[in-house]
mmCIF file of all heavy atoms in Angstrom:
data_model
loop_
_atom_site.group_PDB
_atom_site.id
_atom_site.type_symbol
_atom_site.label_atom_id
_atom_site.label_comp_id
_atom_site.label_asym_id
_atom_site.label_seq_id
_atom_site.Cartn_x
_atom_site.Cartn_y
_atom_site.Cartn_z
ATOM 1 N N LYS A 85 -56.784 125.829 67.265
ATOM 2 C CA LYS A 85 -57.230 125.854 65.915
ATOM 3 C C LYS A 85 -56.458 126.836 65.010
ATOM 4 O O LYS A 85 -56.246 126.540 63.824
ATOM 5 C CB LYS A 85 -58.727 126.124 65.864
ATOM 6 C CG LYS A 85 -59.168 127.456 66.413
ATOM 7 C CD LYS A 85 -60.671 127.603 66.388
ATOM 8 C CE LYS A 85 -61.074 128.946 66.932
ATOM 9 N NZ LYS A 85 -62.600 129.102 66.951
ATOM 10 N N GLU A 86 -56.003 127.914 65.561
ATOM 11 C CA GLU A 86 -55.238 128.899 64.835
ATOM 12 C C GLU A 86 -53.951 128.354 64.320
ATOM 13 O O GLU A 86 -53.575 128.558 63.122
ATOM 14 C CB GLU A 86 -55.007 130.153 65.613
ATOM 15 C CG GLU A 86 -56.285 130.898 66.009
ATOM 16 C CD GLU A 86 -55.901 132.186 66.853
ATOM 17 O OE1 GLU A 86 -54.759 132.471 67.056
ATOM 18 O OE2 GLU A 86 -56.884 132.967 67.207
ATOM 19 N N HIS A 87 -53.232 127.635 65.152
ATOM 20 C CA HIS A 87 -51.966 127.039 64.711
ATOM 21 C C HIS A 87 -52.235 125.857 63.733
ATOM 22 O O HIS A 87 -51.499 125.736 62.794
ATOM 23 C CB HIS A 87 -51.195 126.467 65.912
ATOM 24 C CG HIS A 87 -50.823 127.555 66.879
ATOM 25 N ND1 HIS A 87 -49.730 128.351 66.784
ATOM 26 C CD2 HIS A 87 -51.428 127.928 68.118
ATOM 27 C CE1 HIS A 87 -49.607 129.189 67.811
ATOM 28 N NE2 HIS A 87 -50.646 128.918 68.540
ATOM 29 N N ILE A 88 -53.280 125.065 63.992
ATOM 30 C CA ILE A 88 -53.573 123.998 63.084
ATOM 31 C C ILE A 88 -53.987 124.470 61.713
ATOM 32 O O ILE A 88 -53.596 123.943 60.611
ATOM 33 C CB ILE A 88 -54.622 123.062 63.715
ATOM 34 C CG1 ILE A 88 -54.171 122.382 65.002
ATOM 35 C CG2 ILE A 88 -55.091 122.030 62.651
ATOM 36 C CD1 ILE A 88 -55.108 121.568 65.601
ATOM 37 N N VAL A 89 -54.850 125.546 61.652
ATOM 38 C CA VAL A 89 -55.315 126.151 60.392
ATOM 39 C C VAL A 89 -54.100 126.791 59.640
ATOM 40 O O VAL A 89 -53.963 126.673 58.404
ATOM 41 C CB VAL A 89 -56.405 127.139 60.617
ATOM 42 C CG1 VAL A 89 -56.754 127.883 59.317
ATOM 43 C CG2 VAL A 89 -57.646 126.500 61.181
ATOM 44 N N ALA A 90 -53.185 127.323 60.378
ATOM 45 C CA ALA A 90 -51.986 128.016 59.754
ATOM 46 C C ALA A 90 -51.119 126.972 59.119
ATOM 47 O O ALA A 90 -50.429 127.311 58.165
ATOM 48 C CB ALA A 90 -51.229 128.747 60.849
ATOM 49 N N PHE A 91 -51.150 125.714 59.635
ATOM 50 C CA PHE A 91 -50.414 124.639 58.998
ATOM 51 C C PHE A 91 -51.201 124.078 57.822
ATOM 52 O O PHE A 91 -52.114 123.275 58.021
ATOM 53 C CB PHE A 91 -50.100 123.567 60.026
ATOM 54 C CG PHE A 91 -49.050 122.552 59.509
ATOM 55 C CD1 PHE A 91 -47.716 122.681 59.736
ATOM 56 C CD2 PHE A 91 -49.412 121.491 58.758
ATOM 57 C CE1 PHE A 91 -46.791 121.754 59.350
ATOM 58 C CE2 PHE A 91 -48.547 120.455 58.299
ATOM 59 C CZ PHE A 91 -47.280 120.579 58.578
ATOM 60 N N THR A 92 -50.781 124.373 56.671
ATOM 61 C CA THR A 92 -51.522 123.868 55.401
ATOM 62 C C THR A 92 -51.487 122.380 55.281
ATOM 63 O O THR A 92 -50.403 121.814 55.276
ATOM 64 C CB THR A 92 -50.971 124.533 54.136
ATOM 65 O OG1 THR A 92 -50.937 125.973 54.295
ATOM 66 C CG2 THR A 92 -51.886 124.149 52.996
ATOM 67 N N GLY A 93 -52.539 121.685 55.290
ATOM 68 C CA GLY A 93 -52.594 120.303 55.189
ATOM 69 C C GLY A 93 -52.940 119.587 56.453
ATOM 70 O O GLY A 93 -53.118 118.312 56.429
ATOM 71 N N ALA A 94 -52.855 120.306 57.589
ATOM 72 C CA ALA A 94 -53.060 119.605 58.933
ATOM 73 C C ALA A 94 -54.512 119.056 59.010
ATOM 74 O O ALA A 94 -54.748 117.925 59.435
ATOM 75 C CB ALA A 94 -52.782 120.554 60.066
ATOM 76 N N LEU A 95 -55.431 119.943 58.554
ATOM 77 C CA LEU A 95 -56.868 119.498 58.619
ATOM 78 C C LEU A 95 -57.135 118.385 57.638
ATOM 79 O O LEU A 95 -58.103 117.612 57.822
ATOM 80 C CB LEU A 95 -57.797 120.647 58.381
ATOM 81 C CG LEU A 95 -57.698 121.765 59.385
ATOM 82 C CD1 LEU A 95 -58.639 122.905 59.057
ATOM 83 C CD2 LEU A 95 -58.134 121.245 60.837
ATOM 84 N N LEU A 96 -56.336 118.296 56.624
ATOM 85 C CA LEU A 96 -56.503 117.245 55.633
ATOM 86 C C LEU A 96 -56.096 115.825 56.289
ATOM 87 O O LEU A 96 -56.722 114.835 56.085
ATOM 88 C CB LEU A 96 -55.629 117.479 54.437
ATOM 89 C CG LEU A 96 -55.542 116.385 53.293
ATOM 90 C CD1 LEU A 96 -56.837 116.273 52.671
ATOM 91 C CD2 LEU A 96 -54.403 116.761 52.326
ATOM 92 N N LEU A 97 -55.102 115.926 57.175
ATOM 93 C CA LEU A 97 -54.601 114.652 57.792
ATOM 94 C C LEU A 97 -55.317 114.246 59.063
ATOM 95 O O LEU A 97 -55.506 113.069 59.313
ATOM 96 C CB LEU A 97 -53.171 114.832 58.093
ATOM 97 C CG LEU A 97 -52.087 114.669 56.997
ATOM 98 C CD1 LEU A 97 -50.683 114.934 57.654
ATOM 99 C CD2 LEU A 97 -52.151 113.383 56.335
ATOM 100 N N LEU A 98 -55.830 115.243 59.811
ATOM 101 C CA LEU A 98 -56.308 114.991 61.125
ATOM 102 C C LEU A 98 -57.349 113.900 61.217
ATOM 103 O O LEU A 98 -57.266 113.047 62.011
ATOM 104 C CB LEU A 98 -56.819 116.325 61.746
ATOM 105 C CG LEU A 98 -56.967 116.315 63.298
ATOM 106 C CD1 LEU A 98 -55.728 115.897 63.963
ATOM 107 C CD2 LEU A 98 -57.511 117.665 63.709
#
Side-chain angles (χ1 to χ4, degrees):
K85 62 182 179 181
E86 294 181 0
H87 298 279
I88 295 177
V89 171
F91 188 96
T92 308
L95 294 179
L96 176 67
L97 284 178
L98 194 59

